Amino acid sequence: MKALEGVRKTWRTAATLVSLAFSAAPGRAVVAIVTELLGAILTLVASYQIQNVVQAAATGDRAHALRAGLTLAFTGGLGGLSYLAYAQALPRLIEAITVHLDGELVRLTARIPTLEYADRPVHADKIQLIRSQSQMLAGGLQAVMLNVRMLVTLGGAFVILIGIDPWLALLPIFAIPRALAGQRARRLQVRAQEATAEPMRLRGHIFNHATSPVAGKELRIFGLGAELAKRYRDISATTRHLNVRANWGGAIWSSLGDMAFTLGCVAAVAWLVFRAAQGAVNPGGVVLAATLTTGLIIQMTFALQFAQYFQAIMTTVERYEWLVDFSNTAAQAVTGEAAAPTILRRGLKVEGVCFTYLDRDKPVLTDVSLELPAGRVIALVGENGSGKSTLVKLLCGFYPPSAGRILADDTDLADIQPAAWRERISGAFQDFTNFEVAMHESVGLGDLPRLGDRDRVTAALGRAGAADLATLGEHGLEVMLGKKWGGVDLSGGQWQKLALGRALMREQPLLVVFDEPAAALDASAEHDLFERFAAEARSGQSGGRATLLISHRFSTVRMADAIAVLDAGRIAEFGSHEALMRAGGKYAELFEIQASAYR
Ligand SMILES: Nc1ncnc2c1ncn2[C@@H]1O[C@H](COP(=O)(O)OP(=O)(O)O)[C@@H](O)[C@H]1O
Ligand SMILES: [Mg+2]
């Protein structure tokens, strides 16, 4: 049963690899497969000719010798040509598969409408693994073809051998200990791989820490360099030990198997020599059989190595198939088909929303109800971890609420197509991205259809309080960002202003979220910025837009139309700054603490 499952898995893997090759570059795939098979057949034909050559030489028949020699030369030449075509097609095929695969990985991950996969370490790990092994997947087709070639030559050689002497049909019996020993060796290898996977990952993690520029300051201050190097070496010692043991074990088993098979081959040749002495087999047949059996020994060794390689590919292919499935399921799970409203008349309404992350058992949000009226600015405050960013993620549709619902006017967010909703929101976040492209693009990406519109970028940068960035270098907005690309590097605050500019690119968003987007700016700069945003949000032209603002600075928060205080996932207080101050609750207390610090 288990063996059958193995065969089925092997077939599936091979089919996936072949279909990947055909989607990536059908022409090159055909050339590679045809030339590979042709090569296998020609090898067989050529070795079969050896019999004729020897026979002709033994009998002294010139015409026969000439014919056999010419056929041998012809098959050899054709074989050489087909190999040439193969060698030309293969690297380009592998390149095409790599490009195709990378594209598929981007497509498959990007179309997952929610963030869940990125938040689950298991999934993120798997996707990372597929990415790092895409080269291996690309080379997988080569392994499949080599296996096919091996099967063809092995099968062909076997048929020829039986033709020479039927007793040679017993030869595969000697291959059985060989295969068993090979399996044993492979199992040792797999076990070592599994045992070292975790330490290897940790080792990689340590290496990244030790060499990342971000960690550089702390590494130096706390003198962690030597400690990290020591841990790296310790882990390497353990993994090396495990690998060496597995390699030795594998080598011993493999050579035992080899010996059994070689013995069988020697016995076969001895038997043929004996039969030739009896006159039952001709000398040509003996030479042919000797050549083929020697070839078999070499082929079997290759076959074993490829089986090991294939095993590794199979795991990667399985992961890839998992991603395809996961992505399909995630894309199908989204049922919303409605369009987003053109304009918000009343606003967004969060109704009794609860939320628990998949890998947590405690809810992060409990029975949250909140209105975000159109044309108003609502601020959200609360301690770290109180669930503010989680609420933002739900509003953006990255996760569905575990209970309750979010309405855009009268339409449930769950009924709106995720892509349609995303097109109508905008936002700047604490964990923003540094897009290292030309500066105008880094901002312009906030409204893809209008990428390249310098005027809009200039305006957005101005509104984000970053007009000065446009005159940073002589190239203005064209300046390339990022040292890696020979561009300029920006400070944390400057990057943040670009992210803010990006959030201001879309002309008619229904929802704008600012989730601590200005933490790297000083308090007065943040205050000025949000004063402007608030004025924009309330002005007639953006009447159809709800704005949510999260900040730890009460000087900023107080200008919101209403403030919600989130405490351990529940709305504890709600009202205007004045009302909350009068109420003398948590908000008033926190405000006083911060205000007194500034006095
Ligand atoms: N992707 C996630 N998976 C699991 N738990 C998370 C995830 N993101 C945040 N949390 C947890 O949810 C709680 C609320 O986090 P968050 O909404 O980011 O708080 P805030 O923005 O108010 O600081 C925290 O306990 C945090 O650890
Ligand atoms: Mg947060």
XYZ file of all heavy atoms in Angstrom, residues 119-214:
740
model
N 0.260 36.048 8.238
C 0.325 36.117 9.687
C 0.633 34.776 10.322
O 0.999 34.708 11.478
C -1.012 36.631 10.235
C -1.046 38.139 10.204
O 0.019 38.731 9.959
O -2.117 38.704 10.428
N 0.431 33.685 9.585
C 0.676 32.367 10.180
C 2.081 31.930 9.850
O 2.419 31.738 8.682
C -0.330 31.355 9.661
C -1.755 31.805 9.912
C -2.710 30.680 9.698
N -2.664 29.739 10.806
C -3.361 28.619 10.832
N -4.090 28.293 9.806
N -3.283 27.812 11.865
N 2.913 31.765 10.887
C 4.325 31.445 10.659
C 4.515 30.200 9.794
O 5.389 30.179 8.927
C 4.879 31.213 12.061
C 3.871 31.714 13.016
C 2.583 31.878 12.305
N 3.666 29.173 10.003
C 3.820 27.934 9.226
C 3.697 28.236 7.732
O 4.490 27.767 6.911
C 2.708 26.921 9.573
C 3.204 25.524 9.403
C 2.105 27.191 10.911
N 2.692 29.020 7.397
C 2.453 29.324 5.995
C 3.567 30.194 5.426
O 4.077 29.943 4.335
C 1.104 30.030 5.829
C -0.047 29.145 6.130
N -1.341 29.570 6.110
C -0.075 27.836 6.464
C -2.135 28.551 6.416
N -1.374 27.502 6.653
N 3.929 31.224 6.192
C 4.975 32.125 5.727
C 6.271 31.342 5.486
O 6.958 31.532 4.485
C 5.195 33.233 6.748
N 6.562 30.406 6.390
C 7.756 29.564 6.262
C 7.715 28.753 4.981
O 8.681 28.661 4.243
C 7.825 28.578 7.428
C 8.755 29.084 8.502
O 9.115 30.268 8.419
O 9.106 28.299 9.400
N 6.557 28.128 4.756
C 6.413 27.268 3.588
C 6.642 28.071 2.314
O 7.355 27.636 1.414
C 4.995 26.688 3.551
C 4.911 25.290 4.105
C 3.597 24.681 3.669
C 3.258 23.500 4.545
N 1.915 23.017 4.349
N 6.019 29.236 2.253
C 6.139 30.048 1.039
C 7.590 30.477 0.843
O 8.132 30.447 -0.265
C 5.183 31.252 1.122
C 3.759 30.729 1.013
C 5.466 32.253 0.015
C 2.693 31.731 1.305
N 8.237 30.817 1.957
C 9.649 31.183 1.903
C 10.472 30.019 1.333
O 11.341 30.203 0.482
C 10.109 31.539 3.327
C 11.520 32.019 3.441
C 11.745 33.226 2.577
O 10.880 34.079 2.434
N 12.910 33.299 1.929
N 10.152 28.806 1.798
C 10.881 27.620 1.343
C 10.690 27.390 -0.152
O 11.646 27.094 -0.870
C 10.392 26.391 2.101
C 11.108 26.111 3.405
C 10.405 25.010 4.173
C 12.555 25.698 3.118
N 9.450 27.531 -0.602
C 9.197 27.324 -2.036
C 10.021 28.330 -2.838
O 10.640 27.995 -3.840
C 7.712 27.513 -2.382
C 6.854 26.574 -1.549
C 7.473 27.243 -3.856
C 5.374 26.843 -1.677
N 10.024 29.569 -2.351
C 10.763 30.607 -3.076
C 12.237 30.268 -3.171
O 12.866 30.403 -4.215
C 10.580 31.954 -2.385
C 9.403 32.700 -2.938
C 9.143 33.953 -2.163
N 10.314 34.796 -2.034
C 10.382 35.828 -1.205
N 9.368 36.114 -0.443
N 11.457 36.550 -1.144
N 12.799 29.816 -2.028
C 14.235 29.561 -2.032
C 14.576 28.321 -2.838
O 15.716 28.126 -3.239
C 14.749 29.446 -0.605
O 14.172 28.315 0.001
N 13.579 27.467 -3.093
C 13.884 26.234 -3.819
C 13.324 26.222 -5.225
O 13.241 25.176 -5.856
C 13.347 25.046 -3.040
C 14.171 24.796 -1.794
C 13.552 23.763 -0.905
O 12.403 23.399 -1.085
N 14.310 23.294 0.057
N 12.943 27.394 -5.735
C 12.323 27.394 -7.055
C 13.320 26.947 -8.121
O 12.963 26.352 -9.124
C 11.730 28.761 -7.386
O 12.739 29.700 -7.565
N 14.607 27.201 -7.838
C 15.650 26.744 -8.764
C 15.622 25.216 -8.887
O 15.742 24.657 -9.978
C 17.014 27.193 -8.231
C 18.127 27.143 -9.248
C 17.947 28.215 -10.299
O 17.520 29.316 -9.974
N 18.236 27.899 -11.547
N 15.422 24.592 -7.729
C 15.379 23.140 -7.691
C 14.187 22.606 -8.489
O 14.286 21.638 -9.234
C 15.268 22.711 -6.243
C 15.452 21.252 -6.032
S 15.161 20.959 -4.307
C 16.369 19.762 -3.950
N 13.044 23.297 -8.318
C 11.859 22.893 -9.072
C 12.131 23.004 -10.564
O 11.722 22.160 -11.346
C 10.686 23.793 -8.709
C 9.907 23.442 -7.473
C 8.783 24.424 -7.269
C 9.332 22.052 -7.616
N 12.825 24.065 -10.942
C 13.110 24.270 -12.361
C 13.981 23.143 -12.885
O 13.800 22.658 -13.996
C 13.789 25.620 -12.561
N 14.941 22.694 -12.066
C 15.809 21.600 -12.489
C 15.097 20.253 -12.424
O 15.605 19.252 -12.920
N 13.905 20.257 -11.807
C 13.181 19.013 -11.607
C 12.851 18.283 -12.886
O 12.918 17.056 -12.958
N 12.538 19.040 -13.928
C 12.183 18.415 -15.200
C 13.358 17.590 -15.716
O 13.178 16.488 -16.241
C 11.809 19.478 -16.228
C 11.369 18.868 -17.550
C 9.973 18.311 -17.443
C 11.475 19.839 -18.680
N 14.545 18.129 -15.532
C 15.743 17.415 -15.969
C 15.820 16.048 -15.264
O 16.123 15.034 -15.886
C 16.975 18.244 -15.628
C 18.212 17.784 -16.341
C 19.417 18.610 -15.908
O 19.316 19.474 -15.051
N 20.549 18.338 -16.507
N 15.515 16.072 -13.969
C 15.555 14.818 -13.221
C 14.518 13.833 -13.753
O 14.785 12.647 -13.899
C 15.313 15.096 -11.743
N 13.313 14.365 -14.052
C 12.269 13.487 -14.590
C 12.744 12.858 -15.887
O 12.638 11.646 -16.104
C 10.973 14.291 -14.871
C 9.962 13.421 -15.612
C 10.383 14.795 -13.579
N 13.317 13.674 -16.778
C 13.722 13.169 -18.093
C 14.860 12.172 -17.966
O 14.894 11.168 -18.663
C 14.101 14.330 -18.992
C 12.881 15.153 -19.340
S 13.189 16.369 -20.601
C 14.607 17.167 -20.000
N 15.790 12.469 -17.059
C 16.893 11.526 -16.876
C 16.377 10.185 -16.377
O 16.861 9.134 -16.767
C 17.924 12.103 -15.915
C 18.880 13.082 -16.590
C 19.695 13.836 -15.563
C 19.811 12.346 -17.552
N 15.355 10.264 -15.507
C 14.759 9.019 -15.021
C 14.111 8.238 -16.158
O 14.245 7.024 -16.247
C 13.724 9.316 -13.938
C 14.371 9.434 -12.576
O 15.258 8.658 -12.254
N 13.940 10.401 -11.796
N 13.406 8.968 -17.026
C 12.760 8.318 -18.167
C 13.830 7.693 -19.052
O 13.731 6.541 -19.486
C 11.922 9.344 -18.964
C 11.437 8.722 -20.269
C 10.745 9.802 -18.129
N 14.889 8.449 -19.296
C 15.975 7.951 -20.137
C 16.549 6.656 -19.556
O 16.802 5.683 -20.258
C 17.065 9.023 -20.190
C 18.213 8.604 -21.041
C 19.378 9.548 -20.943
N 20.307 9.147 -21.999
C 20.902 9.970 -22.812
N 20.705 11.245 -22.717
N 21.700 9.519 -23.728
N 16.712 6.698 -18.239
C 17.277 5.544 -17.562
C 16.360 4.332 -17.729
O 16.810 3.224 -17.999
C 17.389 5.870 -16.076
C 18.575 5.291 -15.424
S 19.759 6.583 -15.160
C 18.866 7.568 -14.001
N 15.043 4.580 -17.572
C 14.088 3.476 -17.719
C 14.172 2.900 -19.121
O 14.179 1.679 -19.308
C 12.664 3.973 -17.448
C 12.310 4.159 -15.980
C 10.881 4.664 -15.838
C 12.474 2.837 -15.236
N 14.253 3.792 -20.130
C 14.309 3.328 -21.522
C 15.572 2.501 -21.749
O 15.515 1.382 -22.266
C 14.263 4.531 -22.489
C 14.539 4.068 -23.916
C 12.916 5.209 -22.405
N 16.728 3.027 -21.331
C 17.972 2.287 -21.587
C 18.033 0.991 -20.778
O 18.440 -0.046 -21.283
C 19.226 3.126 -21.267
O 18.950 3.956 -20.167
C 19.636 3.991 -22.433
N 17.562 1.078 -19.510
C 17.575 -0.143 -18.699
C 16.685 -1.206 -19.333
O 17.082 -2.360 -19.502
C 17.091 0.153 -17.276
C 18.092 0.760 -16.307
C 17.425 1.060 -14.976
C 19.270 -0.180 -16.102
N 15.470 -0.784 -19.705
C 14.514 -1.721 -20.304
C 15.068 -2.296 -21.605
O 15.044 -3.518 -21.827
N 15.611 -1.404 -22.439
C 16.149 -1.831 -23.732
C 17.298 -2.809 -23.539
O 17.343 -3.877 -24.173
N 18.204 -2.467 -22.631
C 19.368 -3.329 -22.385
C 18.903 -4.703 -21.922
O 19.427 -5.735 -22.338
C 20.267 -2.689 -21.338
N 17.898 -4.688 -21.086
C 17.367 -5.933 -20.537
C 16.824 -6.833 -21.660
O 17.126 -8.024 -21.733
C 16.263 -5.597 -19.524
C 15.792 -6.759 -18.746
C 16.680 -7.508 -17.989
C 14.454 -7.111 -18.755
C 16.242 -8.591 -17.264
C 14.009 -8.189 -18.025
C 14.898 -8.927 -17.285
N 16.036 -6.210 -22.551
C 15.467 -6.971 -23.675
C 16.593 -7.548 -24.538
O 16.565 -8.731 -24.922
C 14.541 -6.067 -24.512
C 14.122 -6.778 -25.804
C 13.309 -5.695 -23.698
N 17.604 -6.722 -24.837
C 18.720 -7.203 -25.669
C 19.431 -8.373 -24.982
O 19.741 -9.393 -25.595
C 19.730 -6.060 -25.930
C 19.060 -4.955 -26.764
C 20.969 -6.580 -26.651
C 19.936 -3.749 -27.001
N 19.636 -8.225 -23.671
C 20.344 -9.274 -22.922
C 19.579 -10.598 -22.970
O 20.150 -11.657 -23.189
C 20.559 -8.841 -21.465
C 21.659 -7.797 -21.249
C 21.693 -7.338 -19.805
C 23.014 -8.384 -21.642
N 18.259 -10.515 -22.792
C 17.456 -11.749 -22.837
C 17.564 -12.371 -24.223
O 17.604 -13.594 -24.375
C 15.991 -11.472 -22.481
C 15.894 -11.026 -21.026
C 15.132 -12.718 -22.682
C 14.498 -10.716 -20.568
N 17.630 -11.509 -25.254
C 17.777 -12.000 -26.627
C 19.067 -12.801 -26.785
O 19.128 -13.781 -27.522
N 20.128 -12.370 -26.096
C 21.409 -13.065 -26.197
C 21.350 -14.398 -25.469
O 21.783 -15.426 -25.971
C 22.548 -12.190 -25.609
C 22.685 -10.902 -26.430
C 23.880 -12.950 -25.614
C 23.588 -9.884 -25.800
N 20.802 -14.343 -24.251
C 20.652 -15.592 -23.495
C 19.517 -15.422 -22.484
O 19.577 -14.546 -21.623
C 21.960 -15.902 -22.759
C 21.912 -17.268 -22.111
O 20.907 -17.576 -21.402
O 22.856 -18.047 -22.300
N 18.478 -16.261 -22.588
C 17.299 -16.091 -21.724
C 17.626 -16.131 -20.238
O 16.920 -15.527 -19.438
C 16.408 -17.275 -22.111
C 16.884 -17.705 -23.454
C 18.334 -17.358 -23.548
N 18.701 -16.847 -19.845
C 19.042 -16.918 -18.427
C 19.377 -15.550 -17.840
O 19.286 -15.347 -16.641
C 20.231 -17.860 -18.193
C 19.810 -19.302 -18.242
C 19.964 -20.152 -19.275
C 19.133 -20.016 -17.207
N 19.431 -21.384 -18.977
C 18.905 -21.319 -17.692
C 18.686 -19.685 -15.921
C 18.261 -22.288 -16.948
C 18.045 -20.661 -15.170
C 17.838 -21.948 -15.687
N 19.747 -14.632 -18.718
C 20.092 -13.285 -18.219
C 18.870 -12.554 -17.670
O 18.978 -11.506 -17.048
C 20.752 -12.461 -19.322
C 22.129 -12.980 -19.759
C 22.706 -12.103 -20.850
C 23.086 -12.998 -18.575
N 17.680 -13.132 -17.889
C 16.458 -12.539 -17.314
C 16.516 -12.551 -15.797
O 15.769 -11.843 -15.117
C 15.236 -13.307 -17.799
N 17.426 -13.366 -15.234
C 17.549 -13.443 -13.775
C 18.329 -12.262 -13.190
O 18.332 -12.043 -11.981
C 18.242 -14.750 -13.371
C 17.467 -16.024 -13.686
C 18.264 -17.247 -13.245
C 16.109 -16.001 -12.977
N 18.977 -11.522 -14.084
C 19.850 -10.423 -13.623
C 19.155 -9.444 -12.650
O 19.749 -9.054 -11.638
C 20.405 -9.672 -14.840
C 21.669 -8.857 -14.614
C 22.768 -9.687 -13.985
C 22.152 -8.255 -15.929
N 17.880 -9.063 -12.927
C 17.231 -8.099 -12.020
C 17.163 -8.571 -10.574
O 17.040 -7.752 -9.668
C 15.833 -7.948 -12.618
C 15.998 -8.279 -14.045
C 17.060 -9.335 -14.121
N 17.248 -9.918 -10.346
C 17.203 -10.396 -8.958
C 18.316 -9.741 -8.142
O 18.126 -9.364 -6.985
C 17.353 -11.935 -8.906
C 16.105 -12.556 -9.517
C 17.563 -12.416 -7.474
C 16.142 -14.070 -9.536
N 19.476 -9.569 -8.807
C 20.612 -8.961 -8.098
C 20.400 -7.469 -7.841
O 21.097 -6.866 -7.050
C 21.906 -9.165 -8.890
C 22.325 -10.597 -8.943
C 21.968 -11.401 -10.014
C 23.050 -11.155 -7.903
C 22.336 -12.732 -10.063
C 23.419 -12.480 -7.938
C 23.070 -13.272 -9.022
N 19.423 -6.921 -8.575
C 19.150 -5.493 -8.369
C 18.309 -5.266 -7.122
O 18.237 -4.162 -6.603
C 18.453 -4.913 -9.591
N 17.672 -6.353 -6.634
C 16.787 -6.174 -5.466
C 17.549 -5.725 -4.214
O 17.203 -4.714 -3.608
C 15.960 -7.456 -5.192
C 14.999 -7.680 -6.382
C 15.175 -7.338 -3.893
C 14.223 -8.976 -6.301
N 18.644 -6.454 -3.822
C 19.392 -5.948 -2.650
C 19.900 -4.534 -2.872
O 19.959 -3.720 -1.942
C 20.554 -6.936 -2.507
C 20.521 -7.817 -3.684
C 19.182 -7.724 -4.336
N 20.209 -4.244 -4.124
C 20.700 -2.914 -4.480
C 19.638 -1.847 -4.169
O 19.903 -0.823 -3.553
C 21.018 -2.939 -5.981
C 21.486 -1.652 -6.550
C 22.920 -1.491 -6.136
N 23.652 -0.627 -7.032
C 23.626 0.673 -6.953
N 22.884 1.253 -6.061
N 24.361 1.384 -7.766
N 18.413 -2.149 -4.599
C 17.323 -1.192 -4.394
C 17.014 -1.047 -2.909
O 16.802 0.064 -2.417
C 16.084 -1.660 -5.149
N 17.018 -2.199 -2.184
C 16.723 -2.144 -0.755
C 17.767 -1.324 -0.009
O 17.448 -0.479 0.829
C 16.660 -3.564 -0.168
C 15.449 -4.382 -0.624
C 15.491 -5.773 -0.014
C 14.159 -3.670 -0.217
N 19.045 -1.578 -0.368
C 20.127 -0.836 0.286
C 20.001 0.655 -0.034
O 20.205 1.513 0.831
C 21.477 -1.364 -0.177
N 19.623 0.942 -1.261
C 19.465 2.342 -1.673
C 18.384 3.027 -0.854
O 18.547 4.156 -0.399
N 17.276 2.269 -0.633
C 16.183 2.824 0.137
C 16.640 3.143 1.561
O 16.321 4.188 2.112
C 15.071 1.793 0.184
C 13.699 2.404 0.211
C 12.665 1.339 -0.030
O 12.841 0.192 0.384
N 11.593 1.703 -0.696
N 17.401 2.212 2.099
C 17.936 2.371 3.442
C 18.798 3.637 3.530
O 18.651 4.442 4.441
C 18.794 1.138 3.729
C 19.224 0.969 5.135
C 18.061 0.465 5.943
N 18.355 0.601 7.335
C 18.289 -0.396 8.203
N 17.892 -1.573 7.815
N 18.584 -0.198 9.468
N 19.670 3.781 2.537
C 20.566 4.941 2.509
C 19.757 6.232 2.423
O 20.041 7.210 3.104
C 21.513 4.834 1.318
N 18.699 6.178 1.607
C 17.875 7.368 1.416
C 17.180 7.733 2.717
O 17.084 8.898 3.088
C 16.852 7.065 0.336
C 16.460 8.268 -0.459
C 16.004 7.919 -1.848
N 15.037 6.854 -1.911
C 15.173 5.761 -2.641
N 16.279 5.581 -3.346
N 14.239 4.847 -2.682
N 16.694 6.695 3.412
C 15.977 6.972 4.654
C 16.898 7.648 5.666
O 16.508 8.558 6.379
C 15.401 5.676 5.219
C 13.999 5.896 5.737
C 13.325 4.604 6.109
N 12.996 3.764 4.981
C 13.068 2.418 5.012
N 13.491 1.793 6.087
N 12.724 1.711 3.962
N 18.143 7.172 5.721
C 19.121 7.795 6.629
C 19.290 9.272 6.290
O 19.330 10.138 7.161
C 20.475 7.096 6.503
C 20.609 5.758 7.230
C 21.956 5.127 6.922
C 20.477 5.989 8.735
N 19.375 9.529 4.985
C 19.572 10.899 4.515
C 18.388 11.785 4.908
O 18.562 12.883 5.410
C 19.701 10.873 2.992
C 20.610 11.941 2.434
C 22.049 11.466 2.434
O 22.295 10.341 2.021
N 22.963 12.279 2.892
N 17.183 11.266 4.650
C 15.975 12.038 4.950
C 15.898 12.331 6.439
O 15.594 13.449 6.861
C 14.709 11.281 4.478
C 13.455 11.940 5.017
C 14.680 11.211 2.971
N 16.230 11.296 7.258
C 16.169 11.492 8.699
C 17.159 12.583 9.127
O 16.841 13.423 9.953
C 16.453 10.174 9.423
C 15.619 10.050 10.676
C 15.809 8.712 11.346
N 15.465 7.585 10.489
C 15.987 6.366 10.638
N 16.887 6.135 11.564
N 15.615 5.378 9.848
N 18.342 12.553 8.537
C 19.341 13.576 8.879
C 18.842 14.952 8.448
O 18.984 15.937 9.174
C 20.669 13.260 8.211
N 18.210 15.000 7.280
C 17.688 16.282 6.791
C 16.649 16.836 7.749
O 16.648 18.015 8.075
C 17.026 16.079 5.435
C 17.902 16.499 4.266
C 17.277 16.055 2.966
O 16.085 15.792 2.888
N 18.097 15.973 1.944
N 15.757 15.938 8.194
C 14.708 16.384 9.108
C 15.301 16.846 10.430
O 14.886 17.849 10.990
C 13.700 15.260 9.346
C 12.681 15.197 8.223
C 11.913 13.898 8.208
O 12.109 13.071 9.113
O 11.127 13.704 7.258
N 16.297 16.113 10.904
C 16.895 16.466 12.198
C 17.667 17.777 12.121
O 17.787 18.486 13.113
C 17.802 15.342 12.676
N 18.188 18.095 10.947
C 19.006 19.307 10.860
C 18.218 20.520 10.371
O 18.716 21.630 10.424
C 20.206 19.103 9.912
O 19.723 18.594 8.678
C 21.236 18.158 10.505
N 16.980 20.301 9.901
C 16.213 21.418 9.321
C 16.062 22.571 10.309
O 16.358 23.725 9.986
C 14.850 20.927 8.858
N 15.631 22.231 11.525
C 15.382 23.272 12.525
C 16.673 24.015 12.908
O 16.722 25.238 12.828
C 14.712 22.598 13.738
C 14.220 23.545 14.792
C 13.069 24.415 14.297
O 12.245 23.906 13.513
O 13.032 25.593 14.688
N 17.748 23.273 13.319
C 19.003 23.972 13.633
C 19.535 24.799 12.455
O 20.048 25.899 12.659
C 19.990 22.852 13.976
C 19.228 21.601 14.033
C 17.831 21.845 13.643
N 19.350 24.293 11.230
C 19.839 25.046 10.073
C 19.096 26.374 9.939
O 19.671 27.397 9.584
C 19.630 24.242 8.778
C 20.463 23.004 8.696
S 22.162 23.341 8.283
C 22.057 23.149 6.532
N 17.784 26.320 10.230
C 16.994 27.541 10.138
C 17.444 28.557 11.172
O 17.600 29.732 10.906
C 15.526 27.217 10.329
C 14.696 27.812 9.222
C 13.336 27.286 9.233
N 12.850 27.148 10.600
C 11.565 27.212 10.911
N 10.703 27.417 9.986
N 11.175 27.045 12.143
N 17.675 28.030 12.374
C 18.142 28.882 13.462
C 19.483 29.500 13.088
O 19.733 30.682 13.312
C 18.268 28.044 14.737
C 18.671 28.802 15.990
C 17.627 29.864 16.303
C 18.787 27.851 17.169
N 20.328 28.684 12.472
C 21.653 29.150 12.072
C 21.530 30.290 11.064
O 22.189 31.320 11.184
C 22.410 27.971 11.443
C 23.883 28.111 11.500
C 24.511 26.908 10.893
N 24.356 26.919 9.446
C 25.058 26.146 8.622
N 25.917 25.277 9.108
N 24.899 26.214 7.340
N 20.637 30.103 10.104
C 20.407 31.144 9.103
C 19.916 32.424 9.763
O 20.322 33.536 9.411
N 19.040 32.234 10.750
C 18.470 33.366 11.473
C 19.587 34.133 12.195
O 19.652 35.363 12.135
C 17.465 32.811 12.467
C 16.679 33.838 13.178
N 15.833 34.689 12.516
C 16.615 34.164 14.481
C 15.277 35.499 13.399
N 15.741 35.201 14.598
N 20.469 33.395 12.864
C 21.588 34.015 13.576
C 22.476 34.770 12.596
O 22.886 35.907 12.834
C 22.417 32.941 14.328
C 21.596 32.394 15.489
C 23.733 33.529 14.843
C 22.286 31.293 16.250
N 22.724 34.140 11.465
C 23.581 34.782 10.458
C 22.959 36.101 10.002
O 23.638 37.134 9.944
C 23.769 33.841 9.261
C 24.632 34.419 8.191
C 26.012 34.349 8.293
C 24.068 35.050 7.098
C 26.818 34.899 7.315
C 24.857 35.607 6.113
C 26.242 35.525 6.221
N 21.655 36.061 9.721
C 20.987 37.288 9.269
C 21.066 38.388 10.313
O 21.324 39.542 9.997
C 19.513 37.009 8.950
C 19.379 36.246 7.660
O 20.320 36.222 6.855
N 18.248 35.608 7.447
N 20.844 38.008 11.577
C 20.936 38.972 12.661
C 22.330 39.596 12.710
O 22.483 40.797 12.820
C 20.682 38.277 13.993
C 19.314 38.558 14.516
N 18.712 39.774 14.377
C 18.427 37.774 15.160
C 17.527 39.726 14.916
N 17.316 38.517 15.391
N 23.328 38.707 12.626
C 24.701 39.154 12.826
C 25.160 40.070 11.693
O 26.062 40.876 11.881
C 25.624 37.950 12.931
N 24.538 39.953 10.526
C 25.028 40.745 9.398
C 24.077 41.859 8.994
O 24.387 42.639 8.109
C 25.252 39.843 8.168
O 24.045 39.135 7.906
C 26.377 38.851 8.400
N 22.887 41.927 9.633
C 21.934 42.948 9.189
C 22.339 44.314 9.726
O 22.742 44.449 10.877
C 20.519 42.598 9.648
O 20.230 43.293 10.834
N 22.245 45.334 8.887
C 22.628 46.682 9.322
C 21.722 47.187 10.441
O 22.144 47.955 11.295
C 22.455 47.541 8.074
C 21.888 46.669 7.009
C 21.784 45.285 7.508
N 20.467 46.717 10.452
C 19.527 47.183 11.471
C 20.015 46.796 12.859
O 19.936 47.573 13.803
C 18.129 46.552 11.231
C 17.120 47.113 12.212
C 17.692 46.785 9.803
